[in-house]
Amino acid sequence: HEVPHLPGKRPKEPGENKIKPVNKKVKPKTPKMKERESADSSLKSQSILTQVMDKGRFQKLAATLSLSAGQSLELRCKGSNVTWNYPSYLDTFKDSRLSIKQLDRYGQLILANSTAADTGEYSCWLQLCNGNKCRKDETKTGSTYIFFTDKEELFVPTPSYFEIVYLNPDKPAVIPCRVTTPSAKVTLHREFPAEEIETDGTDIIYDVKKGFVYQHPTSDHKGIVYCKAESHGAPQISIKYHLLYVEVPKGPPSATIAASSNRAEVSDRVHVICTALGEPDVDVNFRWQYPGQESERPVIIQNFWRLINRGTGHTIRISKSILLVEDFEARDAGNYICIAQNLQGETTVATTVELN
């Protein structure tokens, strides 16, 4: 079973790519010669990933591939320790249509009865292992983006009817209305006021593998939008996307401090609360300096955080540290200093508690 000789590709070397059909019990011959480095690196990166065609033929994969929904797919990736990556939704539903096996000399991925929702990137790479530590071998990877076209489903179906997209001023935002047919004409629309949003190809671009990309999101972009696709038939509409603008100042935590009382009697119970506001995914650490520290006066310090929704579709993290003095003494009077720190820096705040 020879692989068809494609123009412009180097001739095959002896023993290369001759993979015998499975039903014949033949020991595969090991190639005697090392495969020459291909000058074209993008071709080289694809070379470990092939698609198995009918009658035992193989096809090297280009950057994109279009198949009809319903077709089955078999990919092979050369190597004895292959890791696969494929659209995450196939994992979400523990899909039985997907089967992945590692054989002696290649990894195999089979997807049966494909659907429009399987559209996405399929890639593989080899693991380099040393003992029990493994890492990705960057020189041996293969990747292709597969469109499973379906006239009834121009947009890649999603499990929800509505999605939230956060607009962050310092990174591009993606409205993920991907299509199953690369040639479909896709436009972006605002729900209210009802209008098409101009995509100029610089500030807002359409990428068939991602959707619409806002390069520089601003608060003007917030609101509800949807996408519309046309391809030889009635236009179809995507789910709705709610664009929310998130503006949290980057930098050290924004912190405040307050004591339960700034004047205390002997044996009072006094607590000082340090509060920091910040981005939902940024950790804050607290350190304290207080009058009884030198004499190792026992105090209790508790830290915790929670997320709160500001109502404008904008979530922040509130982190608190509470320092508690159980029975106040003269040596506890003085300055209570809280230092709140994140990766961007630290903020120091202080308050005084005096003895009455």
Side-chain angles (χ1 to χ4, degrees):
H1 292 287
E2 280 297 325
V3 172
H5 181 65
L6 297 175
K9 298 267 170 80
R10 60 179 174 69
K12 298 287 172 210
E13 285 164 359
E16 195 190 0
N17 264 5
K18 282 191 185 154
I19 300 178
K20 300 284 193 293
V22 184
N23 52 11
K24 290 190 191 161
K25 287 205 167 84
V26 180
K27 255 189 120 161
K29 292 191 186 71
T30 314
K32 295 281 184 294
M33 294 154 85
K34 216 173 162 349
E35 192 171 328
R36 275 205 307 274
E37 297 290 299
S38 160
D40 178 356
S41 63
S42 68
L43 199 95
K44 184 170 168 293
S45 77
Q46 302 297 341
S47 64
I48 65 167
L49 181 63
T50 51
Q51 182 189 3
V52 182
M53 311 298 282
D54 53 352
K55 304 193 177 70
R57 286 187 310 118
F58 291 84
Q59 174 171 305
K60 282 206 172 140
L61 285 163
T64 60
L65 170 67
S66 285
L67 299 173
S68 300
Q71 276 184 278
S72 290
L73 169 74
E74 181 180 345
L75 299 178
R76 282 188 186 180
C77 195
K78 264 190 236 170
S80 57
N81 190 357
V82 172
T83 305
W84 291 93
N85 202 0
Y86 43 83
S88 58
Y89 116 101
L90 284 164
D91 272 343
T92 318
F93 300 108
K94 291 280 173 277
D95 211 307
S96 57
R97 298 174 303 124
L98 179 73
S99 122
I100 286 181
K101 290 196 181 98
Q102 176 67 55
L103 292 103
D104 271 356
R105 299 177 49 210
Y106 61 87
Q108 175 196 56
L109 178 149
I110 294 179
L111 179 63
N113 310 331
S114 63
T115 72
D118 301 327
T119 297
E121 178 146 16
Y122 290 77
S123 60
C124 66
W125 61 88
L126 298 194
Q127 293 276 35
L128 284 177
C129 293
N130 187 352
N132 55 2
K133 279 213 172 81
C134 289
R135 63 184 173 83
K136 183 174 177 175
D137 181 347
E138 295 295 346
T139 61
K140 297 205 168 50
T141 63
S143 153
T144 184
Y145 189 97
I146 305 178
F147 295 95
F148 289 98
T149 60
D150 181 343
K151 289 200 291 290
E152 306 301 309
E153 299 267 18
L154 285 182
F155 287 109
V156 178
T158 57
S160 55
Y161 290 104
F162 189 84
E163 259 180 55
I164 288 179
V165 175
Y166 289 107
L167 303 172
N168 220 308
D170 48 12
K171 59 175 186 236
V174 177
I175 294 159
C177 54
R178 298 179 298 130
V179 282
T180 61
T181 305
S183 59
K185 180 181 179 300
V186 189
T187 50
L188 182 61
H189 300 260
R190 188 184 298 286
E191 189 173 59
F192 186 82
E195 61 187 14
E196 184 178 330
I197 297 169
E198 284 298 311
T199 51
D200 48 15
T202 51
D203 238 11
I204 305 179
I205 56 173
Y206 186 70
D207 176 337
V208 279
K209 298 179 183 180
K210 291 183 183 161
F212 284 99
V213 182
Y214 282 85
Q215 302 287 30
H216 310 285
T218 68
S219 62
D220 296 346
H221 294 137
K222 64 179 191 272
I224 294 177
V225 300
Y226 61 89
C227 309
K228 191 179 193 176
E230 288 184 58
S231 173
H232 317 300
Q236 293 178 24
I237 281 176
S238 73
I239 65 166
K240 290 180 179 163
Y241 299 94
H242 196 163
L243 312 190
L244 300 173
Y245 189 66
V246 181
E247 193 168 29
V248 176
K250 285 266 182 289
S254 141
T256 54
I257 192 166
S260 51
S261 166
N262 290 102
R263 303 192 72 80
E265 307 280 347
V266 171
S267 83
D268 270 0
R269 198 166 180 236
V270 174
H271 61 259
V272 185
I273 303 179
C274 186
T275 306
L277 304 182
E279 293 183 84
D281 48 357
V282 177
D283 284 322
V284 175
N285 293 313
F286 294 99
R287 300 196 310 280
W288 286 91
Q289 291 166 9
Y290 51 93
Q293 209 161 13
E294 291 300 302
S295 57
E296 298 190 355
R297 174 92 167 92
V299 295
I300 297 167
I301 296 174
Q302 284 181 308
N303 297 334
F304 56 92
W305 62 267
R306 63 192 176 99
L307 295 179
I308 65 158
N309 194 330
R310 273 270 169 95
T312 49
H314 156 184
T315 304
I316 56 171
R317 181 194 281 221
I318 293 190
S319 306
K320 285 182 193 264
S321 182
I322 299 178
L323 181 146
L324 176 66
V325 180
E326 290 276 36
D327 48 351
F328 200 81
E329 296 175 12
R331 61 175 170 166
D332 296 317
N335 285 330
Y336 284 76
I337 299 166
C338 165
I339 300 132
Q341 183 178 28
N342 65 14
L343 292 173
Q344 258 115 25
E346 56 184 47
T347 305
T348 303
V349 284
T351 187
T352 310
V353 182
E354 289 170 7
L355 183 65
N356 249 348

